[in-house]
Amino acid sequence: RRDLLQWDQALKLAQQLAPDQIPSICREYAQQLEFKGEYGMALRMYNQALSKTMEGGFGEDNFTGGLDGGNESVSHKRVCKAGIARMTLRTGSLQQGLAMVRQSKDKELVKSCGSILEAMRQYGEAAELYRLAEQYEKAAYMYLKTKSFTKLEALMEHITAPKLLTHYAKSMEAQKKYTEAASAYERANDVDNVIRVCLKHLDQPQRAFELVRKNNSPQGAGMVATFCMSNGDYEMAIEFL
């Protein structure tokens, strides 16, 4: 019955003929329910799988878990606790679920629960879990969505994706934090925007001139030439035309 995925019947038979298999049947049933999106029932079965293990005293010697490798009883409990944490989040008990995830210290579980929360549009909580899982760029995207700029700034040393750096630079520029904006644009290799910010906001024309000379940017050269002419420095403007 278990092989045919007839779980209710498999549980009834196990109660009569093979009680040592009840925890693993409950666990496998829970995994199937989770896959089907029946999260409330899956939570119930994961809890039963764990509680039956405890009640029955199934340890290393008498647990028939059906898990590959290592201590089957320990692996079974780990899978069940992870499932309970995921389903607790899925069913809306966010604070309880988050506490379970934090306590697990299981980086893969933390990462997967971050994805669950992101799909649920719980971006602040997702960011926290991504940060704990050292998924810094995913955490940064969540902080951008929630405009949690202070938390985002704390992650920037870990960020290398140009697209994310550009998003961050634009958000800093919108807040008139021009030094931070120019730094982020530079890390994103967006030379033209660095030149623009230097000329328009930071009063750093020499930095802009050097960037144009170094990178041969036509757009940057145009901005510098316009800046020089607007300040009456036509000799310098000629260099960049």
Side-chain angles (χ1 to χ4, degrees), residues 176-189:
K176 300 184 179 181
K177 295 184 177 181
Y178 300 118
T179 299
E180 292 86 345
S183 176
Y185 281 131
E186 192 162 23
R187 288 182 60 201
N189 295 315

Side-chain angles (χ1 to χ4, degrees), residues 74-133:
V74 171
S75 296
H76 169 82
K77 291 175 184 176
R78 176 179 53 77
V79 170
C80 290
K81 288 179 179 179
I84 290 167
R86 289 193 304 273
M87 296 307 97
T88 300
L89 292 174
R90 292 278 197 189
T91 53
S93 299
L94 299 186
Q95 295 308 313
Q96 184 183 357
L98 283 166
M100 294 176 183
V101 176
R102 292 190 201 101
Q103 291 169 6
S104 74
K105 297 181 180 179
D106 180 338
K107 190 174 288 187
E108 284 303 311
L109 174 63
V110 174
K111 179 181 174 182
S112 67
C113 287
S115 296
I116 289 170
L117 289 167
E118 181 181 357
M120 294 171 67
R121 300 181 183 275
Q122 300 294 324
Y123 299 127
E125 291 81 0
E128 180 190 350
L129 295 191
Y130 282 140
R131 181 182 58 78
L132 288 175

Side-chain angles (χ1 to χ4, degrees), residues 164-177:
L164 182 52
L165 288 165
T166 299
H167 279 306
Y168 174 70
K170 288 178 179 178
S171 69
M172 291 297 99
E173 192 172 353
Q175 296 178 71
K176 300 184 179 181
K177 295 184 177 181

Side-chain angles (χ1 to χ4, degrees), residues 56-235:
F58 298 114
E60 296 180 29
D61 298 329
N62 60 352
F63 176 71
T64 306
L67 292 171
D68 295 330
N71 184 325
E72 288 188 353
S73 179
V74 171
S75 296
H76 169 82
K77 291 175 184 176
R78 176 179 53 77
V79 170
C80 290
K81 288 179 179 179
I84 290 167
R86 289 193 304 273
M87 296 307 97
T88 300
L89 292 174
R90 292 278 197 189
T91 53
S93 299
L94 299 186
Q95 295 308 313
Q96 184 183 357
L98 283 166
M100 294 176 183
V101 176
R102 292 190 201 101
Q103 291 169 6
S104 74
K105 297 181 180 179
D106 180 338
K107 190 174 288 187
E108 284 303 311
L109 174 63
V110 174
K111 179 181 174 182
S112 67
C113 287
S115 296
I116 289 170
L117 289 167
E118 181 181 357
M120 294 171 67
R121 300 181 183 275
Q122 300 294 324
Y123 299 127
E125 291 81 0
E128 180 190 350
L129 295 191
Y130 282 140
R131 181 182 58 78
L132 288 175
E134 298 179 355
Q135 299 289 304
Y136 296 118
E137 294 191 349
K138 288 186 176 182
Y141 275 117
M142 298 299 99
Y143 286 138
L144 274 173
K145 282 181 177 288
T146 57
K147 298 184 178 180
S148 302
F149 296 117
T150 300
K151 293 179 178 179
L152 177 58
E153 286 178 42
L155 294 183
M156 290 314 295
E157 64 182 293
H158 302 289
I159 305 304
T160 59
K163 184 178 179 181
L164 182 52
L165 288 165
T166 299
H167 279 306
Y168 174 70
K170 288 178 179 178
S171 69
M172 291 297 99
E173 192 172 353
Q175 296 178 71
K176 300 184 179 181
K177 295 184 177 181
Y178 300 118
T179 299
E180 292 86 345
S183 176
Y185 281 131
E186 192 162 23
R187 288 182 60 201
N189 295 315
D190 190 344
V191 176
D192 290 338
N193 269 318
V194 180
I195 293 167
R196 179 182 57 78
V197 172
C198 285
L199 294 175
K200 186 175 180 180
H201 299 297
L202 292 177
D203 192 23
Q204 295 179 352
Q206 291 302 321
R207 180 181 176 188
F209 298 166
E210 289 303 315
L211 285 168
V212 172
R213 292 180 183 122
K214 181 179 178 181
N215 294 278
N216 297 315
S217 165
Q219 185 176 342
M223 286 188 284
V224 166
T226 300
F227 173 85
C228 292
M229 286 188 289
S230 69
N231 285 276
D233 192 344
Y234 297 103
E235 184 178 347

Side-chain angles (χ1 to χ4, degrees), residues 20-78:
D20 60 310
Q21 292 192 23
I22 292 175
S24 59
I25 292 172
C26 288
R27 183 195 71 237
E28 290 173 19
Y29 189 11
Q31 290 172 317
Q32 181 69 14
L33 289 164
E34 181 179 358
F35 178 76
K36 291 166 64 178
E38 298 180 27
Y39 301 128
M41 189 63 178
L43 175 59
R44 178 183 167 191
M45 296 310 301
Y46 277 125
N47 273 310
Q48 282 194 30
L50 188 61
S51 66
K52 293 295 183 183
T53 307
M54 306 300 188
E55 290 172 10
F58 298 114
E60 296 180 29
D61 298 329
N62 60 352
F63 176 71
T64 306
L67 292 171
D68 295 330
N71 184 325
E72 288 188 353
S73 179
V74 171
S75 296
H76 169 82
K77 291 175 184 176
R78 176 179 53 77

